[in-house]
Amino acid sequence: MSRGRWVRSIFIFVIVALCSTRHISCQDEGDSNHLDDPAAVPFLSEVIYSRLSNFTSVFSAEISKHLSFCIKDTDADWNGAFNFTSNLTFLGACLKKTKGTLKNRLCTAAEIKFYFNAFYTRGAKSTNYLKPNQNCNLSAWVSGCEPGWACSVNDQDKVDLKNSKTLPVRISDCQPCCEGFFCPHGITCMIPCPLGAYCPLGKLNKTTGTCDPYHYQLPPGKPDHQCGGADTWADVGSSSEVFCSAGSYCPTTTLKIPCSSGHYCRMGSTKEKRCFKLTSCDSNTANQNIHAYGIMLIAALSTLLLIIYNCSDQVITTKERRKAKSREAAARSARETAQARERWKSAKDVAKKHAVGLQTQLSRTFSRMKSVRQPEQLKVLGQAKPGTDDAFLAAAQSSSSSLQQPPASKGKKKEPSNLTKMLRALEEDPDSHEGFNLEIGDKNIKKNMPRGKQMHTHSQIFKYAYGQLEKEKAMQQENKNLTFSGLISMAADIEIRTRPVIEVAFKDLTITLKGKHKHLMRCVTGKIMPGRVSAVMGPSGAGKTTFLSALAGKITGCTTKGLILINGKIESIHSYKKIIGFVPQDDIVHGNLTVQENLWFSASCRLPASLPKADKVLVVERVIESLGLQAVRDSLVGTVEKRGISGGQRKRVNVGLEMVMEPSLLILDEPTSGLDSSSSQLLLRALRREALEGVNICMVVHQPSYTLFKMFDDLILLAKGGLTVYHGPVKKVEEYFAGLGIHVPDRVNPPDHFIDILEGIVKPSTSSNVSYQELPVRWMLHNGYPVPPDMMETVGGIDMPSTSVNPSNETNSIAANGEQSFAGDLLQDVKCNVELKRDNIHHNFLKSKDLSNRKTPGVSQQYRYFLGRVGKQRLREARIQAVDFLILLLAGACLGTLAKVSDETFGAIGYTYTVIAVSLLCKIAALRSFSLDKLHYWRERASGMSSLAYFLAKDTIDHFNTLVKPLVYLSMFYFFNNPRSSFTDNYIVLFCLVYCVTGIAYAFAIFLEPSPAQLWSVLLPVVLTLIATQQNKSPSMKRLSDLCYSKWALEAFVIANAERYSGVWLITRCGSLLKSEYDVHDWNLCLVILILYGIVSRAIAFCCMITFQKK
């Protein structure tokens, strides 16, 4: 027995050695003599297979040349299709059937190339006929040329399977094709069926006359011809009968097993896959039903979104409530400390009176000889500085303790115990910095006062801020009766942060609208000075807003003549924009932020970067208190959809945004419009406090009350056409008009009376002999300003010196010889619009030297501030975000259910709908990032805030949507559609797509108005996807398609899915990719292009944001 095994092993080794050489050929007789030996067949099968597996080296060059677009790794794809090492039984069976002539029937490399080149040249479409060749042509047609049949070469001929140039003569011993092989129609050799195929012998269907499961018929006139094996391997649409059917798996190409329960088998499977838990997989299941996971994700995401929907405001409110508690505790402590200081001061005053009385009494009682030492003490006491602690202590040492008891006992009766403790603490340590010493000239204030840089916690910062506020209140009370020496002492001993001074003078200022030659202002001369509050008044059309815009350097589309001097020098007002505050007429305030958040953000970005946080908090708290906003500090400002604070409070917040940056020049456009009298007075008192610090304030006012009118320092009264009627102190305006014979009637508000006269509603008295048209000229003559010649006609009866005529300031006439033609008017309008656009762009890129001496936070620091603000806004808009997510969930569920994956196109239809739906929904949502905040951005940019920080912060916060939205959509689409590609691959592609379309939406939102932006966001993805999916493109259309982002997104989706199809799907993959002109190597390229589209579109959006302004 052992000898038999040894002999058999030696024999098999010799056969393998002989057959492994290139030129040795095993004769049929020799092979057939040993096929009956069960041990020889497997080894012979391995020899045959070893020759087949070496074909990759022969075809690698051809594959790289023609099929590189669909085959990434030649060895891997070849093994996926023809790696039969696990089971070679079909080769052994074929060896027995062919009696050892199998290798003579296998197709050589030349025949395989001949067959597959037909697919490449005909677009991977199956064909019943191949091109004529030396074995199968019109003159020679053997049985092996029929589908399902093959022939052998002559016995004396040698077959080199690696020969890729010539087709061998193969016309002898024709037989039906073996199981596991396919024999194409038109060639006489056999090719192994790839893995995932099922290639049994065909059976004649007498009803149809075809060989089932194949579709070829037997040749007529040949009764001995029978059904053979498979006849073709092509794409699934043309040769689906070769593919292992869905619901079954084929471990070999000759065996098909039904899928067992708990497993699923897709079409072309070689093994069954276990179903996930919670899924239903019956026997013969083609795909697992994972809808349960989709439903679970719907429930989980819906629950999470509902929680965010209902509790978004509480996340911030809880944090703000804790901060509010610290602030209230600090304010209460500061008030109690101030009260204790007042009681301590009262006690010292009482002690001083007793000390003076004791001194007088002692001087009268004792004789001068017996009281030599006592007067010395009294002399020292008298030399102590009144009002200081030294005087008080000296008196207290010579007085009894009973003099201090009345104030203490009084405090015990009226004040709580903690205040009594504070009094005692102050008694023990009078110079303690717990609170503030209110005595003027106290040298210890600056030394012992806590520094802002030493503050870290909220409690310390608020304690510092409110302590300073209480100190300022007490100092304001002291200042009422302050002497000059006390004022000098206060200024010398207390550290006060001064502001730069800005004085604006304007001479012969004339503003003309370009293209229209219409004067908006003419010959305005004067100045506004620091420390004074100037009011600009006049009827409608007088150019009040234009005047303020000209002073602030915000006017565009106009020609400006005259001079504007800053501190007596010809300098650009933009050089001081960091210390200039401009309050627009509209209340441009973030409605989804609280009052304090709006003010704090403005202070953080616009105050000096070196200013400690505690001092910034102090500035904000001072503004909140001065504007009377304490009660609504933690309330949302509100929007049109969501009710917030009142209109008057919103107006004060609008002013406070500029006050918190401590400006040197504050320009306000109608800040009192819409306010009642008390709110207007509160606002003006706050502005007057600013003026006391040297701030130059100029504001437009409509119909102020008499009390409000008297609170202004200067008045600029303009007539229609932008002409000055009066510019000077408010106290002298009535005196000036009285000199012209215009008197204010009793019980009539002077500003109302003057404006009525300028409107022509009220005519001056006949005794004045003055019309309202003459008032601007009267003012020019009163001040000796030159008068334009065209204004002389209205005042012909006024005697004027010749020097008052200004010949250079004449009105430009549009047409001297009549009206222009229509073409001329049209050309003029076009030129005007072009100049206006050019001026706007030039204004946006205008650069000037910074002369403000204020270094505000840089881009990185402002980016942090913007990031915090936008984050809060997004959190408060979580309800809108939740709606966006729910819409994406619904879209994913619908498209995943309706657009099932097609194996022939690798799910291209479903992915096409995905690209359109996700692009549309994400663009519409991304429009809100910039379209709703344009006015806020323009205001913040004009004040010197960083545009880059603003844009990056918005984009950074939107990255949350870029990360989450693909997950939300795929949680439905993937589990309802169930493609072969992995969830990760789909998520990566969708992430890049969302990033791309979000950048495009930014450009639309910034460049277009909201309605056109929404229309383009809907239209663009549909049009681009139609272009990208068009078949038979022309060269120009192909180049246009390459510019469509949807083409690259769709290609990435299809490639990720196509790579999962191997084995029998190889031809289908190559055919589909060839038809779509996709390349399997371009998956990373597609992702990079999508990301580049997102980056470029964001760069375009940023350029549009800094280039184009509102009209």
Side-chain angles (χ1 to χ4, degrees):
M1 197 67 161
S2 59
R3 177 178 296 181
R5 288 182 180 177
W6 182 79
V7 172
R8 186 180 303 168
S9 299
I10 294 296
F11 173 75
I12 292 174
F13 173 77
V14 172
I15 292 178
V16 172
L18 292 175
C19 292
S20 61
T21 62
R22 181 173 180 180
H23 301 288
I24 296 299
S25 173
C26 297
Q27 300 296 325
D28 293 340
E29 294 81 7
D31 292 339
S32 60
N33 293 334
H34 303 283
L35 290 176
D36 295 333
D37 190 346
V41 174
F43 282 94
L44 293 174
S45 299
E46 290 182 5
V47 171
I48 298 297
Y49 173 70
S50 65
R51 295 194 175 187
L52 291 175
S53 61
N54 290 330
F55 272 7
T56 52
S57 61
V58 179
F59 295 133
S60 60
E62 296 292 331
I63 290 175
S64 300
K65 180 179 179 181
H66 299 292
L67 301 176
S68 60
F69 66 92
C70 64
I71 296 179
K72 183 181 290 186
D73 188 343
T74 304
D75 292 332
D77 285 324
W78 182 270
N79 290 330
F82 301 106
N83 187 0
F84 306 111
T85 54
S86 60
N87 194 332
L88 297 176
T89 56
F90 77 101
L91 288 176
C94 191
L95 276 171
K96 291 182 179 181
K97 180 180 178 181
T98 59
K99 299 180 180 180
T101 62
L102 173 59
K103 77 175 190 61
N104 293 333
R105 299 176 183 273
L106 292 177
C107 290
T108 63
E111 290 171 308
I112 293 176
K113 286 171 59 178
F114 177 77
Y115 174 74
F116 284 106
N117 279 337
F119 290 92
Y120 178 75
T121 56
R122 305 190 184 199
K125 290 296 183 182
S126 176
T127 177
N128 292 329
Y129 299 96
L130 299 177
K131 291 181 180 181
N133 54 77
Q134 62 180 358
N135 295 321
C136 301
N137 51 61
L138 294 177
S139 60
W141 190 269
V142 295
S143 298
C145 296
E146 297 295 335
W149 277 59
C151 299
S152 175
V153 297
N154 294 326
D155 295 340
Q156 61 272 17
D157 294 337
K158 296 180 181 180
V159 179
D160 185 5
L161 296 180
K162 294 185 178 181
N163 186 355
S164 61
K165 296 182 179 180
T166 59
L167 273 68
V169 178
R170 196 191 304 270
I171 57 175
S172 63
D173 191 18
C174 296
Q175 297 180 10
C177 197
C178 295
E179 286 186 309
F181 291 85
F182 71 97
C183 300
H185 187 194
I187 56 176
T188 59
C189 60
M190 298 190 307
I191 304 176
C193 289
L195 293 174
Y198 179 57
C199 301
L201 289 176
K203 294 181 180 181
L204 179 63
N205 188 330
K206 296 181 179 181
T207 303
T208 61
T210 60
C211 294
D212 291 339
Y214 315 110
H215 303 301
Y216 62 85
Q217 295 179 338
L218 297 180
K222 294 183 179 181
D224 296 334
H225 197 90
Q226 59 183 359
C227 291
D231 65 323
T232 184
W233 170 40
D235 62 290
V236 67
S238 303
S239 60
S240 58
E241 66 275 6
V242 177
F243 287 71
C244 189
S245 59
S248 302
Y249 68 98
C250 301
T252 67
T253 55
T254 59
L255 178 64
K256 183 169 69 173
I257 304 174
C259 211
S260 61
S261 178
H263 298 79
Y264 71 98
C265 302
R266 297 178 186 265
M267 188 176 185
S269 297
T270 58
K271 59 182 179 180
E272 58 182 0
K273 294 183 179 180
R274 183 177 297 277
C275 295
F276 296 152
K277 295 182 179 179
L278 304 179
T279 59
S280 57
C281 289
D282 299 329
S283 58
N284 299 326
T285 300
N287 204 347
Q288 60 178 338
N289 185 358
I290 55 175
H291 293 175
Y293 287 92
I295 295 174
M296 291 172 59
L297 280 174
I298 287 178
L301 289 174
S302 299
T303 303
L304 180 62
L305 294 176
L306 287 175
I307 292 174
I308 297 174
Y309 181 89
N310 293 317
C311 305
S312 58
D313 291 341
Q314 298 300 324
V315 176
I316 300 177
T317 303
T318 303
K319 182 179 179 180
E320 295 298 329
R321 187 183 297 116
R322 297 184 63 183
K323 188 183 293 185
K325 289 182 180 179
S326 300
R327 182 174 57 248
E328 292 171 0
R332 184 169 55 252
S333 175
R335 287 193 298 269
E336 292 175 353
T337 302
Q339 293 175 3
R341 291 291 184 187
E342 289 297 327
R343 293 187 175 278
W344 178 243
K345 181 181 178 182
S346 299
K348 291 202 300 184
D349 292 339
V350 171
K352 289 178 186 178
K353 293 180 181 179
H354 284 285
V356 172
L358 179 61
Q359 179 182 6
T360 305
Q361 183 179 1
L362 291 175
S363 63
R364 292 177 180 177
T365 304
F366 297 97
S367 63
R368 186 172 300 178
M369 295 298 298
K370 294 182 180 181
S371 58
V372 176
R373 299 175 65 185
Q374 182 70 18
E376 293 179 357
Q377 295 178 0
L378 294 175
K379 184 177 181 181
V380 173
L381 177 62
Q383 291 176 352
K385 184 177 180 180
T388 61
D389 292 342
D390 295 336
F392 171 71
L393 292 174
Q397 289 175 357
S398 58
S399 62
S400 63
S401 62
S402 63
L403 296 177
Q404 300 178 6
Q405 290 178 356
S409 62
K410 184 177 179 181
K412 288 182 181 180
K413 292 179 181 179
K414 294 185 179 181
E415 299 294 333
S417 59
N418 59 346
L419 188 59
T420 304
K421 294 178 181 179
M422 196 175 296
L423 284 169
R424 292 176 179 175
L426 292 172
E427 243 180 67
E428 297 174 359
D429 187 7
D431 294 329
S432 171
H433 62 267
E434 183 71 26
F436 299 90
N437 198 320
L438 302 177
E439 287 299 319
I440 303 300
D442 189 354
K443 305 296 183 180
N444 295 322
I445 292 179
K446 187 187 302 185
K447 182 185 301 182
N448 297 329
M449 187 172 60
R451 296 290 181 180
K453 292 183 179 179
Q454 300 172 359
M455 308 295 174
H456 299 288
T457 65
H458 288 299
S459 300
Q460 292 175 336
I461 292 174
F462 286 132
K463 199 170 185 180
Y464 167 77
Y466 281 101
Q468 285 288 87
L469 290 177
E470 293 296 333
K471 172 188 173 183
E472 291 174 0
K473 290 179 183 178
M475 290 178 61
Q476 290 176 5
Q477 197 70 22
E478 290 287 337
N479 290 345
K480 293 181 180 179
N481 301 318
L482 198 64
T483 62
F484 180 74
S485 60
L487 181 63
I488 297 299
S489 176
M490 180 185 68
D493 295 335
I494 299 179
E495 186 178 2
I496 300 177
R497 188 169 60 255
T498 59
R499 305 187 191 181
V501 176
I502 295 181
E503 179 186 86
V504 182
F506 37 92
K507 182 179 180 181
D508 200 20
L509 183 62
T510 301
I511 300 174
T512 307
L513 191 62
K514 287 185 177 180
K516 305 292 184 180
H517 299 287
K518 177 182 177 182
H519 291 300
L520 302 181
M521 297 195 70
R522 292 192 69 185
C523 307
V524 178
T525 302
K527 66 178 177 179
I528 54 177
M529 295 175 289
R532 299 181 70 84
V533 182
S534 302
V536 181
M537 299 176 61
S540 299
K544 301 182 293 296
T545 301
T546 303
F547 173 67
L548 294 186
S549 299
L551 295 183
K554 296 179 178 293
I555 194 166
T556 58
C558 299
T559 302
T560 304
K561 296 181 180 179
L563 295 177
I564 297 180
L565 306 177
I566 310 298
N567 295 330
K569 301 178 181 179
I570 302 178
E571 294 173 341
S572 173
I573 193 68
H574 297 284
S575 300
Y576 299 89
K577 67 179 180 180
K578 290 184 179 180
I579 55 174
I580 294 177
F582 185 88
V583 180
Q585 185 174 350
D586 299 324
D587 299 332
I588 304 175
V589 186
H590 290 280
N592 47 12
L593 295 177
T594 63
V595 172
Q596 181 178 353
E597 288 168 352
N598 273 286
L599 299 178
W600 172 247
F601 177 80
S602 180
S604 300
C605 291
R606 301 174 67 183
L607 285 173
S610 59
L611 192 66
K613 182 179 179 180
D615 290 326
K616 292 180 181 179
V617 172
L618 172 61
V619 172
V620 173
E621 295 297 330
R622 184 189 296 122
V623 171
I624 290 177
E625 185 168 349
S626 63
L627 293 176
L629 298 172
Q630 300 95 324
V632 295
R633 64 183 306 151
D634 294 322
S635 302
L636 292 177
V637 174
T639 59
V640 177
E641 297 85 4
K642 188 174 182 180
R643 174 70 177 174
I645 59 179
S646 66
Q649 293 166 340
R650 185 185 181 95
K651 178 72 71 174
R652 280 178 272 164
V653 174
N654 188 32
V655 177
L657 290 177
E658 304 300 324
M659 292 177 60
V660 293
M661 51 85 64
E662 294 192 335
S664 297
L665 172 62
L666 183 58
I667 301 174
L668 306 96
D669 192 2
E670 301 185 19
T672 59
S673 297
L675 300 182
D676 54 19
S677 179
S678 60
S679 298
S680 299
Q681 291 184 28
L682 177 65
L683 175 61
L684 201 55
R685 280 197 296 269
L687 294 176
R688 288 201 63 83
R689 280 194 290 270
E690 292 288 308
L692 290 176
E693 298 184 13
V695 181
N696 190 345
I697 300 176
C698 184
M699 57 190 295
V700 173
V701 185
H702 274 301
Q703 295 181 334
S705 63
Y706 184 75
T707 304
L708 198 67
F709 179 68
K710 288 298 183 181
M711 296 178 70
F712 292 104
D713 297 312
D714 297 319
L715 172 65
I716 302 175
L717 191 60
L718 301 176
K720 288 186 175 181
L723 296 167
T724 308
V725 174
Y726 176 80
H727 181 15
V730 170
K731 298 179 181 179
K732 297 183 179 180
V733 60
E734 295 184 50
E735 178 183 347
Y736 168 75
F737 279 101
L740 299 178
I742 300 176
H743 299 278
V744 180
D746 295 339
R747 299 183 179 179
V748 175
N749 192 12
D752 293 342
H753 182 68
F754 299 146
I755 293 176
D756 289 342
I757 291 177
L758 295 176
E759 283 278 10
I761 299 175
V762 176
K763 295 183 179 180
S765 60
T766 55
S767 60
S768 64
N769 196 23
V770 176
S771 64
Y772 70 91
Q773 293 93 342
E774 300 176 5
L775 292 177
V777 180
R778 295 277 186 178
W779 174 254
M780 294 179 186
L781 297 177
H782 176 75
N783 292 278
Y785 300 149
V787 181
D790 61 298
M791 297 180 64
M792 301 290 294
E793 301 174 359
T794 61
V795 288
I798 302 178
D799 295 332
M800 293 182 298
S802 58
T803 57
S804 299
V805 180
N806 185 5
S808 62
N809 198 352
E810 297 182 358
T811 304
N812 296 323
S813 178
I814 298 177
N817 300 321
E819 297 183 355
Q820 291 184 349
S821 63
F822 174 77
D825 291 340
L826 181 61
L827 182 61
Q828 187 73 18
D829 291 340
V830 171
K831 289 182 179 180
C832 179
N833 291 330
V834 171
E835 290 181 359
L836 183 60
K837 292 289 185 182
R838 183 185 62 189
D839 288 349
N840 287 334
I841 296 175
H842 176 72
H843 177 76
N844 293 335
F845 287 96
L846 187 64
K847 293 184 178 180
S848 55
K849 184 179 179 181
D850 186 15
L851 301 175
S852 59
N853 294 327
R854 174 180 289 188
K855 186 177 181 181
T856 54
V859 175
S860 59
Q861 189 65 30
Q862 289 192 37
Y863 170 74
R864 291 178 54 194
Y865 296 146
F866 275 109
L867 203 63
R869 187 185 75 176
V870 178
K872 288 181 180 179
Q873 290 175 318
R874 290 290 186 272
L875 191 57
R876 292 191 175 116
E877 294 171 356
R879 298 182 178 183
I880 300 177
Q881 300 288 336
V883 173
D884 292 340
F885 293 157
L886 290 176
I887 293 175
L888 274 174
L889 283 174
L890 182 61
C894 293
L895 294 179
T897 303
L898 300 177
K900 291 297 183 180
V901 175
S902 171
D903 290 326
E904 187 174 358
T905 60
F906 306 115
I909 296 177
Y911 287 130
T912 300
Y913 296 152
T914 293
V915 171
I916 295 176
V918 172
S919 298
L920 190 151
L921 294 176
C922 292
K923 281 182 182 178
I924 294 294
L927 291 177
R928 294 194 298 265
S929 295
F930 289 94
S931 60
L932 302 179
D933 290 343
K934 286 184 179 180
L935 294 176
H936 303 86
Y937 163 71
W938 289 331
R939 177 177 182 177
E940 291 168 354
R941 181 193 174 188
S943 64
M945 293 189 191
S946 172
S947 298
L948 181 60
Y950 169 82
F951 186 87
L952 291 179
K954 287 268 189 180
D955 188 38
T956 302
I957 295 299
D958 281 346
H959 286 342
F960 173 78
N961 289 331
T962 306
L963 292 170
V964 173
K965 284 186 175 181
L967 182 64
V968 172
Y969 179 82
L970 286 177
S971 64
M972 293 296 98
F973 176 82
Y974 186 84
F975 292 103
F976 278 81
N977 192 268
N978 200 4
R980 297 200 182 191
S981 55
S982 66
F983 185 91
T984 303
D985 290 342
N986 284 267
Y987 176 81
I988 293 174
V989 177
L990 209 56
F991 168 81
C992 297
L993 175 63
V994 173
Y995 181 81
C996 170
V997 299
T998 302
I1000 296 174
Y1002 288 168
F1004 286 159
I1006 292 172
F1007 185 73
L1008 301 174
E1009 296 296 326
S1011 296
Q1014 293 177 1
L1015 180 61
W1016 275 102
S1017 298
V1018 173
L1019 187 62
L1020 188 67
V1022 177
V1023 173
L1024 294 183
T1025 305
L1026 290 176
I1027 295 174
T1029 56
Q1030 185 180 8
Q1031 301 295 332
N1032 301 322
K1033 304 184 185 73
S1034 62
S1036 58
M1037 187 60 67
K1038 187 178 183 303
R1039 287 191 292 270
L1040 180 61
S1041 175
D1042 291 338
L1043 297 177
C1044 301
Y1045 73 87
S1046 54
K1047 183 255 186 186
W1048 301 102
L1050 183 59
E1051 182 175 355
F1053 276 124
V1054 172
I1055 289 174
N1057 206 24
E1059 286 184 345
R1060 303 289 174 167
Y1061 290 79
S1062 60
V1064 71
W1065 295 99
L1066 199 57
I1067 294 180
T1068 306
R1069 182 212 293 179
C1070 292
S1072 179
L1073 295 181
L1074 177 65
K1075 181 180 178 181
S1076 303
E1077 298 182 352
Y1078 294 159
D1079 194 327
V1080 74
H1081 298 86
D1082 289 347
W1083 192 73
N1084 292 327
L1085 176 64
C1086 294
L1087 302 183
V1088 171
I1089 290 178
L1090 288 175
I1091 295 296
L1092 286 178
Y1093 264 106
I1095 295 174
V1096 172
S1097 58
R1098 280 166 170 79
I1100 294 174
F1102 179 73
C1103 293
C1104 291
M1105 188 180 71
I1106 63 176
T1107 301
F1108 300 102
Q1109 282 271 16
K1110 61 181 178 179
K1111 296 182 180 178

